[in-house]
């Protein structure tokens, strides 16, 4: 069992020197063809270490044929959660802004909760603590905050939609219509202009960066577990470097899965060929000063409206998000001017339902560049599929694309990562729902 990145020690205190070039391998027909340990390992490259990339890695390991040797290389120049995934709001529920169940929302919701639990268990495990040692990631804050999400009604039309959909909500994430008095028991002094809100008590608030780091840890633990139980040698490497061209990987891997979000369009083979729109969003971090006695109740939910805030604790919250369309700025860093403009836009929206925000102090901001998919009859759906036609006719491996998660990457990533991994392992695109691959036909 080998697990490594450029700085972290692997299990048993050993370090692994990564080769600069990997021996070329024959074309992949299916993972089963190499299920015997006597064959060279299956080799997969995953570009991107955000929600999509790490979900694919987990499921590639989970579904790899018993007894097969497997090597996975993750390429991300920033590292785990360094892109838009790591700075997202983390408000998780299966509904659209109009409170309608999203496409495959119930399936995605349940699959995501399972993956969140796996990450949490990994962060708490003795093996994880031992492997992390003194220099590893310390999970010193929550991964999943289970306090629900509250959404105030903002208009009569909005209220009508809430009432209709509350009767047809998914049982695993129910919607409760509550009045102002009940809402103020949850969040004192909340303002409800139409005296109603919907409350999703089973919805959760995820700390994206902590979750992604714990999920990567879960992948490393699974590598060890599979290797130690005679399931073949499993290897996992994190390369903190970018891939400039897909052809750089040609001949090295059986499959390459591109999970780069908005940065996928920067690859020359895909540039201008993906029906994606970029959107930069700023998230402000606020803290309640120590001289303020009115803490945000520990039991209280996060709030979602024209703007939202994700509660990080009784005296800390994240507020978002702005929408700068067609931006090419993928840096998480936010200038003073950009932060000021974001606060001017967000604070009036939040104070409309939570006037107490005036007592909170701005402490910083982060930004992410989202890749927004086109609108379809089923809604704004992610883009998946094999993209060999985009890369070249004589590819000796399979190139796959998994992107366009937009602002719902957290909801979609687990279920779709599972589908993508199974399609890659079987080399069968038909395992992916046709509505997620139809974009390729339009693009041709």
């Amino acid at each position: 069992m080998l697990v490594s990145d450029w700085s972290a020690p692997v299990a048993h205190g050993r370090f692994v020197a990564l080769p600069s070039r990997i021996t070329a391998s024959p074309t992949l027909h299916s993972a089963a063809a190499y299920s015997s340990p006597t064959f060279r390992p299956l080799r997969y490259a995953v570009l991107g270490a955000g929600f999509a990339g790490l979900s694919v890695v987990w499921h590639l390991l989970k579904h790899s044929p018993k007894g097969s040797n497997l090597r996975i290389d993750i390429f991300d120049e920033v590292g785990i959660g360094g892109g838009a995934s790591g700075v997202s709001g983390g408000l998780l529920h299966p509904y659209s802004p109009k409170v309608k169940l999203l496409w495959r929302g119930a399936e995605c919701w349940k699959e995501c909760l399972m993956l969140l639990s796996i990450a949490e268990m990994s962060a708490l495990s003795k093996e994880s603590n031992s492997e992390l040692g003194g220099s590893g990631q310390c999970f010193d804050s929550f991964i999943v905050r289970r306090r629900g999400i509250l959404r105030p009604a903002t208009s009569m039309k909005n209220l009508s939609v809430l009432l209709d959909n509350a009767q047809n909500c998914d049982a695993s994430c129910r919607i409760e219509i509550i009045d102002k008095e009940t809402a103020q028991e949850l969040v004192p002094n909340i303002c409800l202009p139409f005296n109603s809100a919907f409350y999703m008590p089973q919805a959760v608030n995820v700390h994206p960066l902590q979750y992604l780091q714990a999920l990567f840890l879960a992948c490393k633990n699974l590598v060890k577990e599979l290797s130690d139980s005679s399931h073949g040698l499993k290897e996992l490497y994190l390369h903190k470097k970018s891939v400039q061209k897909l052809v750089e990987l040609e001949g090295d891997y059986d499959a390459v899965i591109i999970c780069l979000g908005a940065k996928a369009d920067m690859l020359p083979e895909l540039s201008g060929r993906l029906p994606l729109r970029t959107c930069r969003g700023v998230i402000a971090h606020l803290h309640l000063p120590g001289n303020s006695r009115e803490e945000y109740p520990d039991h209280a939910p996060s709030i979602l409206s024209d703007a939202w805030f994700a509660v990080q604790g009784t005296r800390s919250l994240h507020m978002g998000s702005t929408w700068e369309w067609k931006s090419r700025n993928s840096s998480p860093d936010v200038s003073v001017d950009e932060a000021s403009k974001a606060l001017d836009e967000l604070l009036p929206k939040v104070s409309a339902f939570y006037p107490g925000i005036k007592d909170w102090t701005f402490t910083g901001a982060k930004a992410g560049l989202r890749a927004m998919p086109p609108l379809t009859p089923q809604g704004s759906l992610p883009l998946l599929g094999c993209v060999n036609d985009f890369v070249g006719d004589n590819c000796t491996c399979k190139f796959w694309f998994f992107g366009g998660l937009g602002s719902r990457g957290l909801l979609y990533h687990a279920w779709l990562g599972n589908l993508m991994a199974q399609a890659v392992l079987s080399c069968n695109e038909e395992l992916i729902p046709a509505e997620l691959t139809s974009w390729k036909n339009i693009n041709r």
Side-chain angles (χ1 to χ4, degrees), residues 368-384:
L369 188 63
R370 301 183 290 256
M372 307 299 292
L375 185 63
T376 75
Q378 292 82 25
S380 298
L381 301 184
L383 313 181
L384 280 75

Side-chain angles (χ1 to χ4, degrees), residues 93-102 151 161 198 304 408:
H93 62 88
Y95 301 103
S96 74
K98 294 183 178 180
V99 206
K100 293 183 178 180
L101 193 65
L102 289 163
R151 182 160 193 155
V161 172
F198 80 80
L304 178 63
R408 301 190 181 105

Side-chain angles (χ1 to χ4, degrees), residues 58-188:
W58 168 264
H59 289 104
L60 283 173
L61 290 165
K62 198 70 177 175
H63 296 303
S64 60
K66 185 176 182 180
S68 65
N69 295 332
L70 174 69
R71 171 177 174 142
I72 300 175
D73 290 297
I74 306 172
F75 292 88
D76 194 301
E77 61 184 339
V78 184
I80 303 300
S85 295
V87 298
S88 62
L91 298 182
L92 178 62
H93 62 88
Y95 301 103
S96 74
K98 294 183 178 180
V99 206
K100 293 183 178 180
L101 193 65
L102 289 163
W103 175 88
R104 301 294 184 95
E107 293 163 282
C108 293
W109 164 253
K110 292 167 187 174
E111 194 84 17
C112 189
L113 291 183
M114 289 175 57
L115 207 52
L116 288 172
S117 295
I118 288 167
E120 286 185 298
M121 287 187 290
S122 178
L124 294 172
S125 68
K126 293 181 180 179
E127 291 81 2
S128 299
N129 293 332
S130 173
E131 183 177 342
L132 288 170
S135 60
Q137 167 65 31
C138 177
F139 297 99
D140 55 359
S141 64
F142 74 95
I143 293 176
V144 183
R145 188 176 187 273
R146 294 174 174 84
R147 301 292 187 273
I149 295 175
L150 186 69
R151 182 160 193 155
T154 55
S155 67
M156 289 303 296
K157 181 179 179 181
N158 179 236
L159 178 58
S160 176
V161 172
L162 300 185
L163 293 171
D164 288 343
N165 287 280
Q167 300 174 6
N168 302 303
C169 61
D170 184 75
S172 65
C173 188
R174 69 183 186 276
I175 300 172
E176 299 176 1
I177 301 295
I178 61 175
D179 59 18
K180 183 175 182 178
E181 182 179 348
T182 305
Q184 289 188 343
E185 290 176 1
L186 293 171
V187 183

Side-chain angles (χ1 to χ4, degrees), residues 325-348:
W325 292 98
K326 297 183 179 180
S327 173
R328 301 288 286 181
N329 183 4
S330 61
S331 172
D333 299 327
V334 176
S335 68
V336 173
D337 183 58
E338 188 179 24
S340 178
K341 290 179 180 177
L343 288 173
D344 288 344
E345 179 180 339
L346 295 172
L347 282 173

Side-chain angles (χ1 to χ4, degrees), residues 234-303:
K234 312 299 181 186
E235 301 173 81
L236 176 61
Y237 298 89
L238 172 62
H239 305 262
K240 291 184 180 178
K241 58 183 290 188
S242 62
V243 173
Q244 301 300 319
K245 297 180 180 179
L246 293 176
V247 292
E248 293 176 13
L249 306 175
E250 177 67 24
D252 291 349
Y253 297 98
D254 297 295
V256 176
I257 306 98
I258 304 150
C259 306
L260 290 172
K263 289 186 177 181
D265 189 60
M266 299 178 187
L267 293 168
E269 295 91 343
L270 301 183
S271 181
R273 307 185 72 177
L274 301 172
L276 297 173
R277 299 172 295 160
T278 57
C279 180
R280 180 172 169 86
V282 175
I283 294 176
H285 301 172
L286 289 88
H287 184 77
L288 193 61
N291 59 4
S292 177
R293 297 180 180 180
E294 298 295 328
E295 292 187 341
Y296 196 84
D298 188 56
H299 66 275
S302 294
I303 301 181

